[in-house]
Amino acid sequence: MKRRNFLKVAAGGGAAAATLAAPAVAQGQPKVAWRLTSGFPRPLDTIFGAAETFAEHVKAMTDGNFEIQVFPAGEIVPTAQGAEAVGTNTVEMAHTCSYYYVGKDPTFAIGTAVPFGLNARLMNAWLYEGGGNDLLNAFYAKHNLYGMPGGNTGVQMGGWYRNEINGLADLDGLKMRIAGLAGRVVEKLGVVPQQIPGGDIYPALERGTIDAAEWVGPYDDLKLGFFKVAPYYYYPGFWEGGPCVHFFVNLQKWQELPPAYQAVLTNAAAYANTDMQAKYDARNPGALRELIAGGAKLKAFPADVIDAAYVAANEVYDEISAENADFKTVIDSVKGFRNEGYLWWQVAEYTYDSFMIRNRTKG
C-alpha cells in the first residue's frame, strides 16, 4: 500500500474508532439544557449533593449533550414552590420532598414518608417493585409532574427538644416544627405543629418561639447546631421511617424527551437514590458521636408516646381516605406492602440486626 493511501485509510479508521468510542446514547441526540431547583440549601451537602450527582451522571452518559444546572433552595425558586414551578414549566426540574406540598393534597405526603410507613429499603421495594412509582405518577400527572425516586435519608431522628419528654402528658401544648402529615398526627397528641423553614429553626428554638423541632438526622443536624439550644435528642422519627426525596420533571418536558434520554434520567436518578443513603449511613455514626460529645442528650421516646402516635396516625389515614380517593388508593397500597414486608423482615433482617447490635463490640 502506498504511503498516501495508508494515511487515508488510517485517518478513516481513526474517525470510525472515535465514533464507536463515543457513548451510544450521545450519537444523534439533541443538545438539551435544563434548570433544576433544589429544595435544600447547598451546605447540606449530602441531600443537596444528590442533585449534583444526578446532573453529573446525566452529562457523562450523554457525552455532554444533556446539561442540567442545579440551583440551591431559594436561589431561583423557594422550597415551598419547587413542585409548582416545575408543573408550570418555570423550571424543568426540582429535587425536593413530595410532602412539602401536602397543603395542596395530602397524597403528596405519601411520596416522601408517612408516620409508621415504610423503612428505606421497603420504600424502594414498594416504589420499584410494588407499583408505588406507577401509583404516584398517576397522581403527580394531575399536577403536570413526573416523579423519580432521588434519595433517602433512612429512618430519621425524632428531633430536638428544649425540655425532657417523660411521657405523653409532656407533649400537651408543645410547639414543634414538624412537616408533612406528621403535624396532623402529633396534633392529636396535644402538640401545636409549626411550619418553619430550615434556616429559621435555630433562632426559633433559641428564643423559645418553639419548644422542639425535627429535621433529618445526626449528619445534617450537627451542621445546624440545634444541640446548643435544645439538648434533648429523641429517636426514632416514627413519622419518617424511610423518607424518599424525588426528582420532579415537568410532564410535557418528560414526554418530549427521546426514549434514550428518559432512560438516562431514570438511571441517573436511581444512582443518586442509592448514593444518598449510602452517604448518610456512612456519615451519621461519627456525627452522632460528635453531637453527644458536644452535649446532646440522646433519648428514646417513651412507649406511651409511640403507642398513642400509632393510633393517631391510623385515625388520620381513615379521615383523609374517607374524602380523598387518590390518598386512599396510594395509602392502601403502602399499608398492604408494609404488612407483608415486615412479615418477612422479622424472619431474617430483624433477628440478624438484633444479634449484631448486641454483639457489635465483641470483635
Side-chain angles (χ1 to χ4, degrees), residues 36 46 92 96 119 167 199 211 231 250 274 310 337 340:
L36 181 155
T46 300
E92 291 84 4
T96 189
N119 67 17
D211 307 302
N250 175 274
T274 303
Y310 186 79
F337 198 89
E340 283 295 299

Side-chain angles (χ1 to χ4, degrees), residues 62-345:
T62 61
D63 201 27
N65 284 327
F66 197 151
E67 293 195 68
I68 299 172
Q69 188 175 4
V70 178
F71 295 88
E75 190 163 310
I76 55 172
V77 178
T79 295
Q81 297 173 22
E84 183 178 355
V86 173
T88 58
N89 201 28
T90 302
V91 292
E92 291 84 4
M93 290 193 68
H95 182 237
T96 189
C97 291
S98 182
Y99 70 9
Y100 289 160
Y101 313 103
V102 68
K104 294 182 180 295
D105 190 308
T107 312
F108 272 106
I110 307 174
T112 301
V114 292
F116 301 101
L118 303 168
N119 67 17
R121 276 181 51 185
L122 288 179
M123 187 69 170
N124 276 336
W126 175 68
L127 287 166
Y128 291 124
E129 296 292 328
N133 273 331
D134 292 337
L135 286 172
L136 286 173
N137 273 317
F139 166 72
Y140 291 145
K142 298 179 180 181
H143 299 268
N144 204 28
L145 301 170
Y146 179 80
M148 297 175 288
N152 203 303
T153 66
V155 62
Q156 294 192 359
M157 293 293 284
W160 298 90
Y161 297 74
R162 288 163 54 88
N163 298 300
E164 195 168 359
I165 305 299
N166 294 306
L168 192 57
D170 291 328
L171 297 182
D172 191 32
L174 183 113
K175 297 186 294 294
M176 182 177 185
R177 185 272 181 192
I178 189 165
L181 282 188
R184 188 162 167 179
V185 170
V186 297
E187 192 172 23
K188 286 179 173 285
L189 309 184
V191 173
V192 182
Q194 310 285 311
Q195 297 296 324
I196 299 176
D200 297 335
I201 295 174
Y202 185 96
L205 281 170
E206 187 176 35
R207 293 193 301 265
T209 305
I210 57 174
D211 307 302
E214 58 85 28
W215 187 239
V216 179
Y219 183 71
D220 285 344
D221 291 3
L222 178 63
K223 290 174 179 290
L224 297 179
F226 298 141
F227 66 97
K228 299 174 185 176
V229 289
Y232 295 98
Y233 198 24
Y234 277 87
Y235 66 91
F238 53 81
W239 47 88
E240 295 190 72
C244 177
V245 185
H246 268 75
F247 289 106
F248 286 124
V249 184
N250 175 274
L251 185 58
Q252 278 72 48
K253 290 292 185 180
W254 171 260
Q255 293 169 340
E256 290 168 2
L257 287 176
Y261 276 9
Q262 291 181 347
V264 165
L265 263 63
T266 299
N267 281 276
Y271 180 86
N273 188 40
T274 303
D275 185 59
M276 182 193 290
Q277 188 172 355
K279 285 175 176 171
Y280 274 118
D281 285 346
R283 296 171 179 178
N284 276 332
L288 182 60
R289 289 180 182 277
E290 193 170 342
L291 284 167
I292 293 171
K297 304 179 190 303
L298 192 63
K299 299 274 186 177
F301 279 122
D304 65 338
V305 169
I306 299 287
D307 290 342
Y310 186 79
V311 172
N314 284 292
E315 289 176 357
V316 168
Y317 302 151
D318 289 344
E319 291 165 4
I320 299 173
S321 294
E323 57 188 21
N324 187 317
D326 287 329
F327 182 90
K328 178 173 172 51
T329 296
V330 184
I331 198 66
D332 284 353
S333 175
V334 169
K335 286 180 178 179
F337 198 89
R338 177 193 64 187
N339 294 341
E340 283 295 299
Y342 280 108
L343 176 66
W344 153 245
W345 208 269

Side-chain angles (χ1 to χ4, degrees), residues 13-84:
T19 300
L20 290 172
V25 73
Q27 299 176 34
Q29 297 295 344
K31 290 280 188 180
V32 177
W34 280 6
R35 296 188 302 167
L36 181 155
T37 181
S38 173
F40 314 102
R42 192 180 296 276
L44 298 181
D45 58 321
T46 300
I47 198 165
F48 172 81
E52 295 183 314
T53 297
F54 167 81
E56 289 165 3
H57 279 69
V58 169
K59 184 176 181 179
M61 286 191 282
T62 61
D63 201 27
N65 284 327
F66 197 151
E67 293 195 68
I68 299 172
Q69 188 175 4
V70 178
F71 295 88
E75 190 163 310
I76 55 172
V77 178
T79 295
Q81 297 173 22
E84 183 178 355

